[in-house]
Tab-separated table of all heavy atoms in Angstrom:
chain	number	residue	atom	x	y	z
M	18	MET	N	-232.736	-74.132	8.163
M	18	MET	CA	-231.434	-74.314	8.777
M	18	MET	C	-231.595	-74.381	10.295
M	18	MET	O	-232.562	-73.919	10.853
M	18	MET	CB	-230.540	-73.146	8.386
M	18	MET	CG	-229.164	-73.608	7.957
M	18	MET	SD	-228.048	-72.270	7.628
M	18	MET	CE	-228.828	-71.411	6.284
M	19	ASN	N	-230.630	-74.958	10.912
M	19	ASN	CA	-230.677	-75.125	12.351
M	19	ASN	C	-229.298	-74.767	12.857
M	19	ASN	O	-228.303	-75.181	12.299
M	19	ASN	CB	-230.993	-76.598	12.659
M	19	ASN	CG	-231.118	-76.858	14.137
M	19	ASN	OD1	-230.135	-77.182	14.781
M	19	ASN	ND2	-232.300	-76.724	14.660
M	343	ALA	N	-232.538	-67.490	7.448
M	343	ALA	CA	-233.491	-67.888	8.479
M	343	ALA	C	-232.887	-69.019	9.304
M	343	ALA	O	-232.265	-69.925	8.753
M	343	ALA	CB	-234.792	-68.356	7.832
M	344	PHE	N	-233.034	-68.923	10.619
M	344	PHE	CA	-232.507	-69.951	11.516
M	344	PHE	C	-233.469	-70.160	12.668
M	344	PHE	O	-234.277	-69.292	12.989
M	344	PHE	CB	-231.197	-69.508	12.193
M	344	PHE	CG	-230.127	-69.025	11.293
M	344	PHE	CD1	-230.003	-67.684	10.994
M	344	PHE	CD2	-229.210	-69.912	10.772
M	344	PHE	CE1	-228.987	-67.223	10.178
M	344	PHE	CE2	-228.186	-69.467	9.955
M	344	PHE	CZ	-228.070	-68.122	9.658
M	345	CYS	N	-233.307	-71.289	13.317
M	345	CYS	CA	-233.961	-71.505	14.601
M	345	CYS	C	-232.869	-71.886	15.584
M	345	CYS	O	-231.929	-72.594	15.233
M	345	CYS	CB	-234.971	-72.641	14.488
M	345	CYS	SG	-235.704	-73.053	16.069
M	372	HIS	N	-240.930	-74.272	8.102
M	372	HIS	CA	-239.703	-75.034	8.292
M	372	HIS	C	-239.039	-74.671	9.634
M	372	HIS	O	-238.787	-75.544	10.470
M	372	HIS	CB	-238.758	-74.735	7.123
M	372	HIS	CG	-237.433	-75.437	7.199
M	372	HIS	ND1	-237.103	-76.487	6.386
M	372	HIS	CD2	-236.344	-75.240	7.992
M	372	HIS	CE1	-235.876	-76.914	6.682
M	372	HIS	NE2	-235.391	-76.163	7.651
M	373	GLU	N	-238.777	-73.391	9.838
M	373	GLU	CA	-238.061	-72.985	11.061
M	373	GLU	C	-238.881	-73.313	12.309
M	373	GLU	O	-238.331	-73.720	13.330
M	373	GLU	CB	-237.721	-71.490	11.024
M	373	GLU	CG	-236.790	-71.075	9.883
M	373	GLU	CD	-235.505	-71.895	9.798
M	373	GLU	OE1	-235.030	-72.393	10.836
M	373	GLU	OE2	-234.994	-72.079	8.672
M	376	HIS	N	-238.411	-76.813	13.297
M	376	HIS	CA	-237.252	-76.975	14.188
M	376	HIS	C	-237.637	-76.564	15.608
M	376	HIS	O	-237.225	-77.190	16.585
M	376	HIS	CB	-236.096	-76.067	13.748
M	376	HIS	CG	-235.365	-76.523	12.521
M	376	HIS	ND1	-234.844	-77.791	12.404
M	376	HIS	CD2	-235.039	-75.870	11.376
M	376	HIS	CE1	-234.219	-77.892	11.216
M	376	HIS	NE2	-234.342	-76.746	10.579
M	398	ILE	N	-228.885	-84.170	13.133
M	398	ILE	CA	-229.228	-83.057	12.263
M	398	ILE	C	-230.263	-83.503	11.220
M	398	ILE	O	-231.153	-82.753	10.828
M	398	ILE	CB	-227.944	-82.487	11.604
M	398	ILE	CG1	-228.225	-81.147	10.969
M	398	ILE	CG2	-227.336	-83.418	10.581
M	398	ILE	CD1	-228.288	-80.044	11.969
M	401	THR	N	-233.909	-83.430	12.704
M	401	THR	CA	-234.550	-82.113	12.870
M	401	THR	C	-234.804	-81.471	11.501
M	401	THR	O	-235.843	-80.837	11.286
M	401	THR	CB	-233.754	-81.177	13.807
M	401	THR	OG1	-234.510	-79.987	13.998
M	401	THR	CG2	-232.373	-80.826	13.271
M	402	GLU	N	-233.880	-81.659	10.536
M	402	GLU	CA	-234.168	-81.152	9.181
M	402	GLU	C	-235.401	-81.872	8.620
M	402	GLU	O	-236.222	-81.279	7.927
M	402	GLU	CB	-232.975	-81.344	8.247
M	402	GLU	CG	-231.793	-80.390	8.495
M	402	GLU	CD	-232.151	-78.915	8.442
M	402	GLU	OE1	-233.167	-78.549	7.832
M	402	GLU	OE2	-231.407	-78.118	9.047
M	403	GLY	N	-235.517	-83.153	8.937
M	403	GLY	CA	-236.657	-83.930	8.466
M	403	GLY	C	-237.979	-83.373	8.979
M	403	GLY	O	-238.917	-83.166	8.206
M	405	ALA	N	-238.586	-80.377	10.061
M	405	ALA	CA	-238.791	-79.055	9.456
M	405	ALA	C	-239.355	-79.205	8.044
M	405	ALA	O	-240.275	-78.487	7.644
M	405	ALA	CB	-237.478	-78.281	9.444
M	406	MET	N	-238.819	-80.162	7.276
M	406	MET	CA	-239.282	-80.367	5.897
M	406	MET	C	-240.687	-80.957	5.855
M	406	MET	O	-241.478	-80.651	4.969
M	406	MET	CB	-238.327	-81.303	5.162
M	406	MET	CG	-236.970	-80.675	4.884
M	406	MET	SD	-235.755	-81.959	4.469
M	406	MET	CE	-234.297	-80.973	4.191
M	409	GLU	N	-242.818	-77.996	6.272
M	409	GLU	CA	-242.585	-77.026	5.195
M	409	GLU	C	-243.386	-77.364	3.936
M	409	GLU	O	-243.864	-76.487	3.230
M	409	GLU	CB	-241.081	-77.022	4.867
M	409	GLU	CG	-240.698	-76.183	3.672
M	409	GLU	CD	-239.222	-76.384	3.281
M	409	GLU	OE1	-238.428	-76.820	4.137
M	409	GLU	OE2	-238.894	-76.100	2.126
M	509	TYR	N	-229.175	-83.404	4.314
M	509	TYR	CA	-230.395	-82.770	3.776
M	509	TYR	C	-231.260	-83.830	3.079
M	509	TYR	O	-232.471	-83.870	3.215
M	509	TYR	CB	-230.054	-81.672	2.775
M	509	TYR	CG	-229.364	-80.463	3.356
M	509	TYR	CD1	-228.189	-79.968	2.806
M	509	TYR	CD2	-229.900	-79.789	4.453
M	509	TYR	CE1	-227.563	-78.843	3.322
M	509	TYR	CE2	-229.277	-78.669	4.970
M	509	TYR	CZ	-228.110	-78.197	4.401
M	509	TYR	OH	-227.492	-77.089	4.900
V	623	ZN	ZN1	-233.488	-76.399	8.611
Side-chain angles (χ1 to χ4, degrees):
M18 226 185 298
N19 182 270
F344 308 93
C345 175
H372 179 107
E373 298 308 331
H376 286 307
I398 194 78
T401 185
E402 287 304 338
M406 290 163 180
E409 174 188 338
Y509 293 129

